[in-house]
Amino acid sequence: MNRKYRKTVIAGNWKMNQLCSGVKPFIEQLREAMPRTKTCEVVLCTPALMIPAMVRAGKDARVAAGGQDVSKYEKGAYTGEISADMLLDAGAKYCIVGHSERREYHHESDSLINEKAKALLAKGITPIICVGESLEQREKDLTMEYIAYQVCAALSGIDGTQVRRCIIAYEPIWAIGTGKTATAEQAQEVCEFIRGVIRKLYGARSARAVSILYGGSMNAKNAAELLSMPDIDGGLIGGASLKPADFAAIIAATAQE
């Protein structure tokens, strides 16, 4: 982490879990377990139906609400889609785009992810842009080439001012929900590389300002080591974000130097 230039963010991704009725009890438990003085921005990205409940419950606990996906369209005959305006109106401040599950199960392309990021930026919502390689790509030593392509494609047409409002989340696909985790050194290597890609596109000042998160099974036990790396500015947390005590422990790890 480097708090001098950028903010530390711990963002939970609930995926398709929990219910609206469970949001308030969860936040109450999280609030009790969290450190009194937080050294990071805390976000919980929930299914869209739960965002208003998260806004209400999270206000006193200083937990921001986020969405898990957004439509590239502003409005219209797109049944089932949720626009950036709708997320904003519900109270979301952040939104995940390009998660590997969306890429795989919904066949989302890099160009679509770019359009979604732009839709969020246009409404003042911070996009959490996910990138990451498969096990096959890592084994074939293609990680950096693939990551560079994903980052460049996601940021296409986004200017230097806008990029500072973006968050990049590095989630190696082979480590998501598997219990496997990249070593702190492996995660740092890729996050440092991502910052280098942004530096080439936008310059050193913008690159320093962009928060880069690590996903891929960050948990209460490994968070401190991962967060000690200079280019890892937080985490995008899956399963552990569903457990108040574990999520609070990850938040507390950001206070360690």
Side-chain angles (χ1 to χ4, degrees):
M1 297 177 290
N2 189 328
R3 296 191 184 95
K4 180 178 178 182
Y5 295 112
R6 51 194 174 265
K7 64 183 176 181
T8 302
V9 179
I10 298 297
N13 176 14
W14 277 6
K15 304 189 180 185
M16 197 172 71
N17 293 295
Q18 299 281 27
L19 297 172
C20 290
S21 58
V23 172
K24 184 177 179 181
F26 179 94
I27 291 295
E28 289 173 348
Q29 292 178 56
L30 178 64
R31 186 178 182 183
E32 288 299 313
M34 275 197 304
R36 297 303 175 189
T37 302
K38 296 201 301 290
T39 52
C40 65
E41 175 89 350
V42 179
V43 184
L44 279 168
C45 297
T46 68
L49 284 172
M50 300 179 200
I51 291 174
M54 183 59 69
V55 171
R56 291 191 298 271
K59 185 176 180 181
D60 291 338
R62 292 186 295 142
V63 174
Q68 296 179 358
D69 188 38
V70 68
S71 175
K72 71 175 184 177
Y73 301 108
E74 189 170 351
K75 60 181 178 180
Y78 304 105
T79 301
E81 294 283 270
I82 295 171
S83 71
D85 258 333
M86 292 174 182
L87 290 175
L88 183 66
D89 188 59
K93 294 184 178 180
Y94 295 81
C95 185
I96 299 168
V97 292
H99 192 279
S100 63
E101 291 160 3
R102 299 289 310 180
R103 292 176 187 263
E104 179 180 359
Y105 305 146
H106 298 271
H107 310 291
E108 292 194 357
S109 67
D110 290 286
S111 61
L112 175 59
I113 291 158
N114 171 248
E115 290 182 273
K116 290 184 174 189
K118 289 177 178 175
L120 292 169
L121 288 167
K123 301 301 178 180
I125 299 172
T126 298
I128 301 174
I129 302 167
C130 298
V131 299
E133 83 282 12
S134 67
L135 182 59
E136 181 182 10
Q137 288 162 338
R138 174 163 281 274
E139 290 177 340
K140 291 183 177 180
D141 201 26
L142 296 173
T143 295
M144 299 312 187
E145 288 83 353
Y146 188 64
I147 294 294
Y149 173 78
Q150 286 185 310
V151 172
C152 291
L155 298 178
S156 178
I158 291 174
D159 64 33
T161 300
Q162 291 175 316
V163 78
R164 297 186 188 199
R165 292 163 46 207
C166 296
I167 292 173
I168 306 294
Y170 167 54
E171 290 198 309
I173 297 169
W174 49 270
I176 299 174
T178 63
K180 297 179 180 179
T181 310
T183 65
E185 291 74 22
Q186 286 174 321
Q188 164 60 21
E189 181 183 27
V190 179
C191 291
E192 181 181 22
F193 175 78
I194 290 170
R195 200 174 307 285
V197 172
I198 298 171
R199 187 181 300 113
K200 288 180 181 179
L201 293 173
Y202 299 98
R205 186 171 296 179
S206 291
R208 284 197 301 264
V210 175
S211 295
I212 300 175
L213 313 184
Y214 174 73
S217 299
M218 181 184 281
N219 56 51
K221 293 181 179 179
N222 61 32
E225 183 182 11
L226 286 162
L227 293 168
S228 71
M229 297 292 108
D231 289 289
I232 299 178
D233 305 306
L236 182 57
I237 316 301
S241 72
L242 294 165
K243 303 172 183 177
D246 287 1
F247 195 49
I250 296 171
I251 294 165
T254 65
Q256 300 181 34
E257 296 295 339

